[in-house]
Amino acid sequence: MRLPRIVLLLAACGALAACGTQNASSQQQTAQADPPSATNTSQQGVPTGRLPTDVQPLAYNIDFTMDPDKAYFTAHEVLTVDLKQPTDTIWFHSQNIDIKSIKLALANGKTLNLRFRQVNDDGVAKLSLPKTVQPQKARIVIDFKNPYSPGLLGAYKVKDDGNNYIFTQFEAIAARRAFPSFDEPAFKTPYTYSFTVPKDDKVVANTPVESKTDAGNGMIKWQFMTTKPLPTYLVAWAVGPLDIVQGPSIPANDLRDHPVPVYGVTVKGKGDQIQYAIDHAGEIVQAEEKYYGIGYPWKKLSLIAVPDFSAGAMENAGAITFRDVLLLMDPKTAPTWQKRAYWSVAAHELGHMWTGDLVTVPWWNDIWLNEAFATWMEQKIMVELHPDWNPKMDILNTRQGAMHADSLVSARAIRQPIKNTGDIKNAFDGITYSKGAAVISMFENYVGADKFRAGMHNYLEENAYGSANLDDFLNAISKAAGKNIGPAFKTFLNQPGLPMVEATLKMDNGKPTVHLVQSRYLPVGSSGNREGEHWDIPVCMRYPVDGHATQQCYMLTQHSADVTLNGDKLPAWFMPNTEGVGYYQWSLGNTGYAELTKSLDQLTPVGQMSLAGSIEAAFDAGKIDTIQAMKALAPLAHSKNEPVAEEPMSLLKFAHEWLVTGKDKDALEAYARKLYGQYKVAGDFKKGGAPDDANQREFEAEVAKFLADTARDRQVRQAADDAAARLLGLGNNGKPDLTAVASDFVPVALTVAVQDEGKPVFDALDQVYRNAQNPMVRGVALGAMASATDPQLAARVRAMSLDPNVVRQNEVLLIWRDQISQPETREATWQWFKKNFKRAVARVSADHMGRLPMIAEAFCSDKKAEEVKSFLAPRLAKYPATHRAMRQAMEAAHLCAARRKAQSPSAEKFFSQQ
């Protein structure tokens, strides 16, 4: 499942790194000792972790009768099982399903009535047999009636333009909400299913349609081909008056002797908006087939656009579901970010067709083998197929985001023991996705790309249509590499935390030498122990020798080491993390940063980004002050590479909100205008159509946003206001023209205008939002309204979030996030949230409940964080996934407050002198 973090409309559902309670060394020991077959039970004998393995599912055959206009569906299910030993009890999963009849058909033809009982809220169910049954293959025969799930998990209902639809989201443990099952990833079986639905509805599932027959009473039975072995969480279907558009098939090749049909699936009337997505899906599939050396494993590919969806996308085998904004677009007018988001997320989900679907982890402690690898593959595909979009910069940004989360003492390990459902939900976070991908890339670089690729091919081929764990993967890579990488790899998997490598240049016996010291990176104010952890770190360094840059790598296995460099004198500059590929933070001290900054033209753009990340990390750790940080970062604003030129913005934004006040804030705004005034962006609000240079246009939009928000540039804000008037038809002619402004500048224009012009703009946006047929237009309109600062308009958009007839469930968090992030509306939003807590929580999907503690981070205050905790902690106690999230949010808030205290004096001094 893709955790969205790229695009504006998905930002509200970004990853929240989970929190831990043990110290690092005990976490490492626990993670290493966690057996892959562990089964935990309560004092009453109820499984709280994995189910017992004495009963194994072999196949599902389910006939569903499903009408989206009704409140429930019915089904007849035959679940073939293997009873491995004498038993009088079968444990499986069924959550809030109305079981009408349940029996056990034995191999000898006899049938036993079973007694069914759901024993806990997690959907663990007990089947009691009237007598002990000997080992054999048998069939559990079930008739059930099931209401559609509330929220966005299980089989749930969505209404769009007056029509009802049924979509599914089963990862991680929501299949048990839709049908009785052994709802764990290790239980991979084939599925045979049919759907009897109203004749005007259509059905899409994992496999191609085998037949359609008249079922009478205005119903049609859709029979689907039997699937390859799948875990429950990868089963999927969609029902309703769908548009199904056939795209270009993926032709047969040396790895696959048959073409793969490609389909786009949308709600009624939007099929024409999915053409771009289905036209390009084949390119991604073919690139991933080529890398893995294994053909696409499934019989067809459907890309399904879902209007209300909790995740960004979900890798159901052959039937991938996406939030609709990722698939539906007009390529002539779509902003660059939307196209980039499609390619990135599609590459991620299609990568899962191999890592996750073809080979599945046996238990959730190894979910990184799914998600980290899909993220890593997504990054490879973007570099290969779209180098024009600066994907290497995106990769480094993602890696640095993981580093920020990993700097918390409460950060969890990539590979964490899973003991309850809360642990499962917490495993889907930035540590799993982004840190996992970064560690994979680091060891791929260390092993060598060709050897790593060979190991990946062998890992997948040896475990195809089955399950595999950490040791299976490490053994395959080590065998291909010709050396055991397991011990070094595990130092990054089984303990939390971010390594710091401090590099000091010196002459030693007439030879240029670098002294490397490793420790744990910790921000200022942290309670962690810098010397408590150890990693085996592949350190790759870049420096000039005789005027030419060279690279040298060293495996740092001890606390410190002296490494002799090439050449006969100290290099003019030195970078300890070439291209930022290593998952470690690095430090050179003040002089080293100054020398690197002077030698920017000697560094690649990615190297410049890595330098900026190191400077910001040193600032966060209190190793350098605001004066030193700004002097080091400011030259980057003039870089010809757009992502590098954006780097000083983050420190200026933080200083503007938290470090300076009064005249010093005015001085900061003037400094920001001067630093970025070289980019004449006000005129860009008058440009329409597609950009000649997408990267440049996107960068200029980011500069415009910065100048409008942080620098308070009056000229830019006026240009934005004028552009919004043209967009919304608020000028003389009164006719809206949504193409009057280049698409990348539309969000900036509308947001600024809502704040400057107030109610007329808000009212016009409200109409656009409610009438929008394009999800991008809808999302941009809502995002602008969510940025309202006028008290009455802010109250109005918050009230909208409580109305399910107006705001979709997957849009709620966007409103709250924007409102709580603005200084003008932060406190009012918090007071509103407390007053409306019960209604607000009812609007949050169950798998997003762990986002709520992030409110504490918005205040950057010890006192306020404690206030948030005292209110939320007891009210969220019944949601296991929020416990770790609360600890992390509190730590992040306290660290922010410590950074404010440490850096405010130097910030006031620096900006007062500008």
Side-chain angles (χ1 to χ4, degrees), residues 351-410:
H352 274 304
M353 299 298 105
W354 288 266
T355 55
D357 295 13
L358 179 64
V359 179
T360 305
V361 297
W363 188 234
W364 301 108
N365 62 333
D366 270 328
I367 191 60
W368 73 278
L369 282 170
N370 288 10
E371 300 300 351
F373 274 94
T375 304
W376 167 78
M377 176 52 67
E378 157 201 336
Q379 295 168 350
K380 276 188 170 299
I381 293 302
M382 294 299 284
V383 170
E384 178 182 347
L385 300 184
H386 266 294
D388 53 313
W389 281 340
N390 279 328
K392 290 184 178 181
M393 299 297 198
D394 291 336
I395 293 169
L396 186 56
N397 271 330
T398 298
R399 186 173 297 144
Q400 290 177 343
M403 289 179 174
H404 181 75
D406 212 15
S407 68
L408 302 180
V409 175
S410 54

Side-chain angles (χ1 to χ4, degrees), residues 761-833:
V761 173
F762 191 100
D763 288 344
L765 283 169
D766 194 8
Q767 289 302 308
V768 170
Y769 169 71
R770 293 171 190 259
N771 297 326
Q773 293 300 306
N774 181 290
M776 188 272 292
V777 172
R778 176 185 172 95
V780 169
L782 181 61
M785 288 190 288
S787 299
T789 53
D790 175 86
Q792 291 184 338
L793 298 179
R796 184 170 154 188
V797 77
R798 292 193 294 265
M800 286 172 57
S801 73
L802 299 181
D803 188 347
N805 295 315
V806 177
V807 174
R808 291 173 178 160
Q809 195 166 19
N810 68 4
E811 297 171 326
V812 168
L813 292 179
L814 183 150
I815 295 174
W816 299 351
R817 179 209 62 188
D818 285 2
Q819 282 285 294
I820 200 110
S821 67
Q822 298 177 141
E824 300 90 341
T825 57
R826 182 173 294 129
E827 182 61 30
T829 301
W830 170 233
Q831 297 303 325
W832 173 89
F833 185 77

Side-chain angles (χ1 to χ4, degrees), residues 18 31 46 79 82 345 375 420 441 471 554 589 674 688 747 812 864 881:
V46 176
L79 204 175
D82 187 1
V345 177
T375 304
N420 55 52
S441 293
D471 290 334
Y554 177 81
K674 181 179 179 181
V812 168
K864 207 67 184 181

